[in-house]
Amino acid sequence: GAGVSQSPSNKVTEKGKDVELRCDPISGHTALYWYRQSLGQGLEFLIYFQGNSAPDKSGLPSDRFSAERTGGSVSTLTIQRTQQEDSAVYLCASSLDRWSYEQYFGPGTRLTVT
Amino acid sequence: GENVEQHPSTLSVQEGDSAVIKCTYSDSASNYFPWYKQELGKRPQLIIDIRSNVGEKKDQRIAVTLNKTAKHFSLHITETQPEDSAVYFCAEYGNKLVFGAGTILRVKS
C-alpha cells in the first residue's frame, strides 16, 4: 500500500471490554510507533517496535495496554478492560528503519469507551 | 526527562501575514526537530524538519530555525493562506519523538 493503514477507523466499546487496534505500516518500514491523542491534546508516545521487538515500552499507561508485532509488519495494540479515560484517537506511524527520523502516520482509530 | 514546550497555543492571523510558532526543549541530546501539520479530522503530516547540524531550513513559504545553544526552534509561515489553518505540532527526537502540545493556527480571509 501507499501509506500506513489502521483499522478499525472508529470503535465504540463498553467499559470493561477488550479492544484490538490494528496497524499496517508502509511496506519495507521496519520501525513502528504507537501514539495516543486525547481530545484537544498533543501526541503521547506509547510504544516503539524495531522489527518484532519492542525496545521501548515506556509510554504504555498501564498493564492493561499491550502491543505486539509479528512478521515485522502488522502490529496490534490491545487494551484490556477498557476505561472511559482510554477514549482517544490511537495513531500508528512507521519509519524506514531505526536510523530514519521521518515518521509517516496512519489515519488513526477513534476509540470511544462508553 | 524530555519535555517540549510550544507557544502560542492559539494564533490568529490575517491572510497574507506571517505566523511564527516557537518550541523549547530540554534534552540536549536531541538532534532532529520535525514539524507536523494536522488538519481537522486528519492525520499529522510532516511539513518540514531540521537536523541539529543546521541552523535554518526553508521550503517555499515555510521555514524552520534552530538555536541549539538556547534549545529552541521555530516555525515561520509567510504569506499565510486560509488552507494553512490547522494544528501545528513541533517535536524533538532524542531517543524517541516527543511532541509539543500543539498550536491552533487560524488564518482569516
Side-chain angles (χ1 to χ4, degrees):
Chain A
V4 179
S5 61
Q6 291 184 245
S7 61
S9 54
N10 279 286
K11 176 71 178 178
V12 180
T13 189
E14 291 180 352
K15 178 181 171 181
K17 295 282 178 70
D18 298 352
V19 294
E20 271 192 6
L21 313 179
R22 176 188 167 109
C23 171
D24 265 289
I26 292 173
S27 178
H29 280 197
T30 62
L32 186 147
Y33 305 79
W34 282 98
Y35 296 91
R36 179 168 70 175
Q37 189 172 33
S38 301
L39 186 63
Q41 299 297 309
L43 289 150
E44 175 189 3
F45 170 83
L46 298 179
I47 189 169
Y48 155 63
F49 284 95
Q50 177 55 44
N52 292 337
S53 65
D56 192 348
K57 304 179 183 179
S58 64
L60 293 177
S62 77
D63 58 9
R64 296 186 295 105
F65 286 73
S66 63
E68 65 175 17
R69 190 180 185 198
T70 54
S73 182
V74 172
S75 175
T76 54
L77 177 69
T78 301
I79 309 172
Q80 296 177 307
R81 305 181 302 282
T82 51
Q83 304 293 313
Q84 287 186 332
E85 60 263 28
D86 299 335
S87 297
V89 174
Y90 289 82
L91 287 156
C92 172
S94 72
S95 64
L96 184 60
D97 52 41
R98 74 175 81 180
W99 298 281
S100 297
Y101 292 124
E102 294 86 353
Q103 295 185 20
Y104 300 88
F105 282 83
T109 293
R110 181 175 297 280
L111 174 66
T112 304
V113 182
T114 60
Chain B
E2 301 145 326
N3 183 47
V4 179
E5 293 193 3
Q6 183 171 345
H7 299 281
S9 56
T10 61
L11 178 60
S12 289
V13 299
Q14 202 65 38
E15 183 178 358
D17 288 349
S18 296
V20 180
I21 302 170
K22 298 180 180 179
C23 288
T24 59
Y25 62 98
S26 58
D27 185 358
S28 56
S30 298
N31 51 17
Y32 174 67
F33 306 89
W35 286 87
Y36 290 85
K37 175 184 180 182
Q38 187 175 29
E39 297 176 64
L40 280 174
K42 303 268 184 75
R43 73 192 78 183
Q45 300 268 18
L46 178 69
I47 56 171
I48 195 168
D49 56 17
I50 192 167
R51 314 258 166 146
S52 59
N53 57 348
V54 175
E56 183 174 358
K57 183 176 177 180
K58 191 172 181 181
D59 182 4
Q60 299 182 350
R61 296 186 297 108
I62 297 172
V64 57
T65 59
L66 171 65
N67 183 327
K68 282 217 77 177
T69 304
K71 292 185 188 169
H72 64 71
F73 56 112
S74 301
L75 178 71
H76 304 251
I77 306 174
T78 58
E79 300 170 31
T80 53
Q81 301 168 3
E83 52 265 36
D84 295 331
S85 296
V87 180
Y88 291 81
F89 292 97
C90 65
E92 56 97 5
Y93 193 103
N95 59 3
K96 61 175 178 275
L97 266 183
V98 177
F99 290 83
T103 296
I104 300 172
L105 173 64
R106 294 189 178 91
V107 180
K108 297 175 286 186
S109 56

